[in-house]
Amino acid sequence: MNRVARWILEGWIMSVGLLMYPMNASAEPVQGVEMTGRITQLAGDALNFPMAVRIGPGNDRYVLDSGNGRLLVTDDGGKLKQSWTLDLVGKSQFEAPSDIAVDKSGNVYVADSVNNRVVKYSAKGERLLSIGQPGELDGPLGLAVAANGEIIVANTNKHSIFVYDAGGKLTRRFGSEGSGLGNLRFPHGIALDAKGAIYVADFLNDRVAVFSPDGTPTLTFGGNGGSAGQFNNPYGIAVDGRGRIWVTDAENSRVQVFAAQGTNAQVPINSGSGAQLDHPKSVAIAPDGQVIVCNTGNHSVDTFRVGNL
């Protein structure tokens, strides 16, 4: 098992392109944050290191219960609709699937970092496709699916992003190891906005890196630290319908939100939000604006209503 993947599952784990944007020096109080739900058990078993949550068709919520090696689907009220075991190699929490994506048909894509591939399942849990030829992927820890069916993969140990067509053929790649514009260091979560721009949680650079759909680097924001706008191992990322960027700041055990250009950082969810967050790894935004967080170190999936942002 590679070192970075081990950090992640144990819970250890502004520069702006060619422009400069001001960042908040400290977090502004966010009023009206309410924890509205917590899931700790589904299908008869306690959650075990839930690593990813996504919103799928019909507003269903897809949860990667990584330590149990299973995929769970609930309705928007948390009622279980489906559960299936992922047929991946993995005998412990350190050898487990790391991320998921869901397409408009309800097909589920799983980042299998141990076997260096992405596996596509039908909405009923039938294996459909294995993505990644030998030597292409090395410890993939994040992915997203575009509206056109392309699969965007964080090729984590190669410090790059690989893009595959809907049939699993590699079509382009971008990024390389480093800290400059266009560089990455162990990229993790990936999110897309309405125009197809690609947002990457640049884990060891403690920032978010943004690329155009063709892979041209356009923006970075963040930096190491504990103030608003800074990160200590950003892990998961989501973009909401207003273009705001939500990031799980894993080592700081909080969730931050930014305006579309990485400005106006706020910290609406942290250990003072009634959640006692412990190394959150994933965030998703429901159509009604509720924020769903994989509270990984606490083995729960928590839901918040956030006002006044």
Side-chain angles (χ1 to χ4, degrees):
M1 171 61 62
N2 65 71
R3 182 182 179 192
V4 171
R6 186 179 303 117
W7 284 348
I8 293 157
L9 291 170
E10 287 175 345
W12 284 93
I13 293 220
M14 156 161 303
S15 63
V16 181
L18 301 178
L19 304 175
M20 295 298 295
Y21 291 90
M23 296 298 295
N24 290 354
S26 60
E28 293 293 329
V30 178
Q31 303 299 319
V33 178
E34 177 189 6
M35 185 175 175
T36 59
R38 167 170 282 180
I39 296 173
T40 60
Q41 179 173 314
L42 282 170
D45 291 309
L47 299 184
N48 185 13
F49 291 100
M51 293 293 290
V53 58
R54 297 288 180 267
I55 306 298
N59 197 22
D60 285 345
R61 297 171 185 184
Y62 292 69
V63 176
L64 177 62
D65 186 16
S66 189
N68 287 323
R70 60 181 182 164
L71 192 286
L72 304 165
V73 185
T74 76
D75 64 16
D76 58 4
K79 182 178 179 181
L80 184 68
K81 296 179 71 172
Q82 290 191 66
S83 172
W84 72 76
T85 300
L86 299 169
D87 55 341
L88 306 174
V89 174
K91 298 180 181 179
S92 75
Q93 68 190 52
F94 307 113
E95 297 179 339
S98 55
D99 198 12
I100 57 173
V102 183
D103 67 20
K104 59 187 177 183
S105 299
N107 298 311
V108 179
Y109 302 75
V110 180
D112 180 6
S113 57
V114 173
N115 295 301
N116 299 318
R117 63 186 177 182
V118 172
V119 180
K120 178 182 179 181
Y121 294 88
S122 74
K124 296 182 179 180
E126 303 160 324
R127 184 190 286 231
L128 300 177
L129 182 66
S130 181
I131 299 164
Q133 296 298 314
E136 283 183 357
L137 297 176
D138 186 358
L141 292 176
L143 70 161
V145 179
N148 65 0
E150 287 187 326
I151 304 110
I152 300 99
V153 182
N155 200 353
T156 302
N157 293 335
K158 290 189 175 182
H159 313 284
S160 58
I161 305 299
F162 277 32
V163 181
Y164 294 84
D165 66 19
K169 180 181 178 181
L170 180 64
T171 59
R172 61 188 184 279
R173 65 190 76 182
F174 51 90
S176 59
E177 185 174 10
S179 57
L181 184 65
N183 295 140
L184 299 165
R185 292 182 66 212
F186 298 102
H188 281 47
I190 295 176
L192 308 177
D193 69 14
K195 296 181 179 180
I198 300 166
Y199 296 74
V200 181
D202 192 2
F203 187 76
L204 283 191
N205 278 326
D206 290 313
R207 67 183 186 181
V208 170
V210 187
F211 299 83
S212 68
D214 67 3
T216 302
T218 60
L219 178 73
T220 67
F221 59 90
N224 178 259
S227 297
Q230 297 178 320
F231 300 109
N232 191 355
N233 296 158
Y235 200 108
I237 189 165
V239 180
D240 68 19
R242 293 165 55 185
R244 298 177 301 182
I245 305 148
W246 298 75
V247 185
T248 57
D249 187 5
E251 279 296 305
N252 285 325
S253 289
R254 63 186 185 178
V255 176
Q256 299 197 63
V257 61
F258 300 81
Q261 291 294 324
T263 59
N264 193 32
Q266 298 186 73
V267 185
I269 303 171
N270 53 32
S271 291
S273 308
Q276 294 301 311
L277 292 185
D278 184 359
H279 295 85
K281 294 300 197 299
S282 181
V283 60
I285 313 302
D288 65 0
Q290 291 198 86
V291 182
I292 304 101
V293 180
C294 275
N295 192 352
T296 305
N298 280 326
H299 309 285
S300 66
V301 176
D302 300 343
T303 302
F304 300 86
R305 191 173 299 281
V306 179
N308 300 331
L309 283 179

